[in-house]
C-alpha cells in the first residue's frame, strides 16, 4: 500500500510538471509516416492510442512545429508502425531533428495509398485521417484503420524516464 502524498508538495501546472510526470509513464513507441510533397516524412510518437474498435480508429499527437506537420496536416492517409525492442536506433532516427529518416539503414517500401511502410515492425497500419483536433501547440490526429499487418515478431519498444527501453521479465 502506498502512502497518501503530502498535498503541500504539489507543483502548479507547467510544461516541466507535465514532462516530469509523463517520464514516469511507460509508453509504447510508434513511428507515424506519410507521403509528403518532397518525399516521405515520419516521426516517432509515444502518444498512439486505440480510440474505437467499431469503426477501428486510432489517435496520435503531433506538434504543429514538427518538421512532419506540414505533410501530416494535408495527408489523406498515414502509416502507423508499432516498434519492437530491436528498433531503438530506428526510433531515435525518427525522433532526431534533421535526420535523413528514410535513408540507409531505414528499410521501407511504398505501401497502400502511397504511405511509406517500414520493414520489420511488430505491426503496421494504413489509416485514413478523419480529423485533426487542436490541442494547445499540438494536433490530435484521429485516423480510421484501413488495413494492416499485426504479425511481426518480437517484444515492444517502450519509452520511459526519457529513454527507449524494453520490457523486463
Amino acid at each position: 500500500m502506498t502512502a497518501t502524498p503530502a498535498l503541500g508538495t504539489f507543483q502548479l501546472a507547467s510544461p516541466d510538471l507535465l514532462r516530469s510526470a509523463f517520464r514516469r509513464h511507460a509508453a509504447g513507441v510508434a513511428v507515424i509516416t506519410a507521403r509528403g510533397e518532397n518525399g516521405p516524412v515520419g516521426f516517432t510518437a509515444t502518444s498512439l492510442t486505440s480510440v474505437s474498435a467499431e469503426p477501428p480508429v486510432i489517435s496520435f499527437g503531433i506538434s504543429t512545429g514538427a518538421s512532419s506537420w506540414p505533410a501530416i496536416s494535408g495527408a489523406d492517409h498515414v502509416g502507423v508502425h508499432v516498434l519492437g525492442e530491436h528498433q531503438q536506433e530506428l526510433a531515435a532516427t525518427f525522433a532526431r531533428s534533421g535526420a535523413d529518416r528514410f535513408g540507409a539503414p531505414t528499410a521501407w517500401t511504398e505501401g497502400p495509398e502511397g504511405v511509406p511502410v517500414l520493414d520489420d515492425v511488430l505491426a503496421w497500419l494504413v489509416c485514413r485521417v478523419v480529423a485533426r483536433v487542436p490541442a494547445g501547440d499540438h494536433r490530435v490526429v484521429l485516423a480510421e484503420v484501413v488495413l494492416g499487418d499485426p504479425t511481426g515478431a518480437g517484444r515492444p519498444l517502450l519509452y520511459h524516464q526519457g529513454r527507449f527501453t524494453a520490457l523486463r521479465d
Side-chain angles (χ1 to χ4, degrees):
M1 187 166 177
T2 310
T4 302
L7 294 181
T9 62
F10 67 87
Q11 298 177 28
L12 293 176
S14 70
D16 286 339
L17 171 62
L18 185 66
R19 284 186 200 102
S20 294
F22 271 84
R23 279 189 191 105
R24 297 176 178 271
H25 173 71
V29 181
V31 168
I32 309 299
T33 61
R35 180 176 54 199
E37 283 186 20
N38 299 317
V41 300
F43 65 98
T44 299
T46 57
S47 60
L48 182 64
T49 305
S50 171
V51 174
S52 168
E54 192 58 45
V57 174
I58 59 95
S59 71
F60 60 87
I62 180 172
S63 169
T64 56
S67 61
S68 296
W69 172 242
I72 300 292
S73 72
D76 292 328
H77 292 84
V78 294
V80 176
H81 307 83
V82 177
L83 300 190
E85 64 185 358
H86 62 286
Q87 295 177 303
Q88 289 187 22
E89 281 303 313
L90 182 68
T93 297
F94 276 84
R96 193 174 313 120
S97 180
D100 180 5
R101 296 173 179 161
F102 290 90
T106 302
W108 64 282
T109 56
E110 184 174 319
E113 304 296 339
V115 171
V117 175
L118 302 176
D119 290 359
D120 198 29
V121 295
L122 299 188
W124 62 266
L125 303 168
V126 171
C127 305
R128 182 179 59 83
V129 175
V130 296
R132 295 170 186 86
V133 181
D137 62 355
H138 279 61
R139 295 297 180 268
V140 175
V141 178
L142 296 168
E144 185 173 357
V145 177
V146 175
L147 55 86
D149 180 358
T151 62
R155 294 163 48 116
L157 180 62
L158 300 178
Y159 190 74
H160 182 248
Q161 293 290 0
R163 66 184 184 89
F164 298 114
T165 188
L167 290 174
R168 305 286 181 250
D169 287 330

